[in-house]
Each structure stands twice: as C-alpha cells, then as structure tokens.
Amino acid sequence: MAKSLAAVPKHLAVNPADGRGAGPADDVLSQVLRTVRLSGSLQFCFMPSGAWHTDAAPAMGALSSSPSSAIPFHIVVEGGCWLKMDGIDMPLSAGHVVAFPFGTGHQLGSGSGGMLVTPTRDLPPRPWRDIPVMQYGDGPAGARLLCGFLQCDALNFAPLRNALPAIMHACADGEEGLWLRATIAQMTGEVDRPRSGGVSVLERLTELVFIELLRQEILRLRPDSVGWLAALADPGLGRCLSLMHAEPYRDWSVVELAAASGLSRSTLMERFEAIMHTSPVRYLRSWRLCLASIALGSTDRPIAVIAHESGYGTEAAFSRAFARAYGAPPAAWRSAVRNGGS
C-alpha cells in the first residue's frame, strides 16, 4: 500500500483547501450560478459589409420570452466594428466580448453614414434548424459577430444585480485569453458545422463565457471597490459568503460566521457594512428570499412550506418580506414566472 501511495503524483494529492485551488470568489460564484437558472441562447451570426450601424434599441422581446432577465451579448469573431452607448465609444475587434446585464440600448457599426440594419427584427420565423446567418451589403463582410442573449435569473438576486455594470467587456488577448479564444473558436465551429446537440453545446459555452466575464470584473476591481463582486474578492468576506451560500438554511450567528471566516465579530460587521452596505443577517435573509423565488417558480410546494424553509414564522410575514424584495406577493410571483413574465 505504501508503495502505491508513493507513486501518486504530488499534484493529485494536493487538497484544494490549501489555497492553491479555487478561492472563495469561485465558490460563491459557483454556488449562486448553480442554484439559479442560467441558460444561454446564440440566436444568429451577423455579417455586415461596408458602412453600417444598428438601431440603438436592443429589441430583446424578439429574442426572449422573459426580456427582464435576458442579457444581450455580442462576440466579435472576425473583423471589427465600433460600439456606442451612453457616452461610451469603443472599438471592438476579433476576440472582444460585450454583454449588457440590464439590456441597455446600444449601437454597433462601422464607418459613418452607412445603412441601418436591424438583425433582431429581420430574423426568420422560428423554429430554426440551424443558426441564422444575417448578411447585409453586397461586398465581403467587414465583421462577423455571434449575437444572442443569456437568460439569467440570478439578476433577481439584488446584491449581484446591483454589483454589475451596464456593460461587461472582455478580450481574448495574450496568454490569459487562450481559454476565451478557444471557447469562441468552438462556438464558431458549432455554427459553421452544425451537428446533433449543437444548440445545447452553444448554450453551455455561452454560460461559460458569461462566467468568464464575471471573473474579469472581479480582477478589474480597485482596492476601494464596493459591492458584491468586491466582497467576493475580499478574503474574509469571501469565506463568510461561501459559508452562508453552502448552508443557507442554517441558523447562523454572527459570532459563528466571524470565527469561521477568521475575523472578529466587530471586523466582520464593519467590512460587511463598508463593502456591501448591509449586515450578514440581512444578506442571508436576501439570499433565502432569492432561493424562495426559485422554489416558487420551479416547484409546486405550498407557500407556507417555502415560508418556513426561508426562516419566517408565518406565511403573512414571509409574504410581506417577499413583496418588498420582489415587487409582488409570492402567489402573484409564482403565476407571473409560470406565464413567462418574470
């Protein structure tokens, strides 16, 4: 037995908890995105030529049955274009990915004074056997983009929603961009060479690109940044959030959380207030309400049972808290979600 253990490579015996594996930020991101519904949809390949520009309205209603939680995205595969949005004017080239968590209106284009193109309104009727390729102009395409949306119910979780910028941007440059470049190449291959299961593969790849965008946002944070993403990057708060997300229904005390996070009670409270503008108890209550919203939309469990699981003594107290957080009482929320109106 000793001989066989000695033959095991050292890197296989490393415990990820020693700090060389995934950190608290990865843990919490994984827990949140694994719990909430996250699905990608690549809707079309966009290939314009000459001078052109798009309408400023994202027209997500044409793509998603639930536009409020749909995040439009564009992936530049070849060539380049410009992007304009609320005073932002940036060039995009091959390997650039942009996403708009709140569906903010924006324009893409090339040159000036060119033709107006509206790909989201020109899409062929569904169902589609293959990904539509939308071509505009008579000359060779000056850009090739993969466009679509990500259906992200995580936007219902206020700490995450409030931490996101109006535009998320990543670029597959340099050695750090190898993974993103490979993912974009795989997505392009699925569009160019349709195969069985291709739609599901594209959805999974879109999810991975979105997670990479979130990770890039964390890496860009300044030392004085605040909000949920900044809390994930803070070692102490990251550990605390990881504990709460791993066991959301445990009757946590602030003293327990502080000790498990390697902080004093006062330091934990101060950091929560400074970075997240809330307390650990209020944050945990918010996450439980988010889990309740998922249960309401995806199960037939009675509201009273969900209220008890969420830590509320009565259904009435739960209904009041849920309505404050989500703008509708639990029964109305459940009905809206099931009718595609969340």
Side-chain angles (χ1 to χ4, degrees):
M1 179 65 70
K3 183 177 180 180
S4 63
L5 285 176
V8 176
K10 290 184 178 180
H11 68 273
L12 292 181
V14 172
N15 185 341
D18 70 355
R20 281 177 282 182
D26 296 312
D27 291 340
V28 179
L29 273 178
S30 298
Q31 289 159 353
V32 170
L33 298 176
R34 185 164 52 239
T35 301
V36 301
R37 184 163 60 99
L38 183 67
S39 60
S41 180
L42 184 67
Q43 291 295 328
F44 59 92
C45 179
F46 176 40
M47 299 176 65
S49 64
W52 56 276
H53 65 278
T54 63
D55 194 339
M60 283 282 47
L63 302 179
S64 170
S65 59
S66 182
S68 63
S69 57
I71 301 177
F73 69 84
H74 307 294
I75 301 173
V76 183
V77 177
E78 298 173 4
C81 62
W82 48 254
L83 165 71
K84 294 180 181 179
M85 185 195 81
D86 294 339
I88 296 174
D89 191 344
M90 70 167 69
L92 301 177
S93 57
H96 284 240
V97 181
V98 289
F100 307 86
F102 312 111
T104 307
H106 56 276
Q107 284 186 295
L108 301 175
S110 178
S112 60
M115 58 183 169
L116 172 66
V117 297
T118 56
T120 55
R121 296 183 177 91
D122 296 338
L123 289 169
R126 295 184 183 183
W128 304 325
R129 187 183 67 176
D130 300 322
I131 298 296
V133 178
M134 312 296 292
Q135 295 181 287
Y136 295 90
D138 299 326
R144 185 183 189 195
L145 293 86
L146 303 179
C147 305
F149 71 92
L150 185 86
Q151 198 73 42
C152 184
D153 286 354
L155 293 182
N156 291 321
F157 184 43
L160 171 59
R161 183 181 65 248
N162 296 338
L164 295 180
I167 178 173
M168 301 172 68
H169 173 241
C171 181
D173 280 343
E175 186 174 344
E176 292 185 355
L178 285 174
W179 178 88
L180 187 55
R181 286 200 298 277
T183 304
I184 294 173
Q186 182 65 35
M187 296 175 78
T188 306
E190 294 292 337
V191 173
D192 290 343
R193 299 177 295 279
R195 293 177 291 171
S196 178
V199 172
S200 294
V201 170
L202 284 169
E203 287 187 351
R204 300 292 84 77
L205 292 174
T206 302
E207 293 174 34
L208 292 174
V209 169
F210 178 69
I211 293 172
E212 180 63 18
L213 286 172
L214 285 173
R215 293 167 70 180
Q216 290 294 326
E217 288 297 325
I218 293 174
L219 291 174
R220 290 193 194 99
L221 292 171
R222 301 187 308 272
D224 59 345
S225 296
V226 298
W228 191 70
L229 296 178
L232 298 189
D234 180 276
L237 292 189
R239 284 192 294 271
C240 182
L241 294 178
S242 182
L243 291 166
M244 288 192 284
H245 281 271
E247 297 184 77
Y249 299 115
R250 177 172 168 174
D251 188 18
W252 288 106
S253 71
V254 176
V255 172
E256 284 180 307
L257 288 170
S261 303
L263 303 171
S264 68
R265 183 185 184 282
S266 59
T267 300
L268 178 65
M269 295 293 288
E270 289 170 2
R271 286 197 190 176
F272 247 91
E273 185 61 40
I275 295 179
M276 304 231 359
H277 305 307
T278 188
S279 70
V281 172
R282 290 196 299 270
Y283 178 88
L284 182 58
R285 191 178 300 137
S286 176
W287 178 237
R288 287 175 176 174
L289 286 174
C290 181
L291 294 177
S293 74
I294 297 168
L296 288 167
S298 60
T299 75
D300 292 318
R301 296 210 302 274
I303 293 175
V305 172
I306 297 175
H308 178 73
E309 291 175 347
S310 302
Y312 290 86
T314 66
E315 184 177 340
F318 169 70
S319 295
R320 288 193 296 271
F322 191 89
R324 284 195 300 270
Y326 289 89
W333 173 269
R334 169 172 274 171
S335 177
V337 169
R338 296 188 175 185
N339 290 328
S342 66

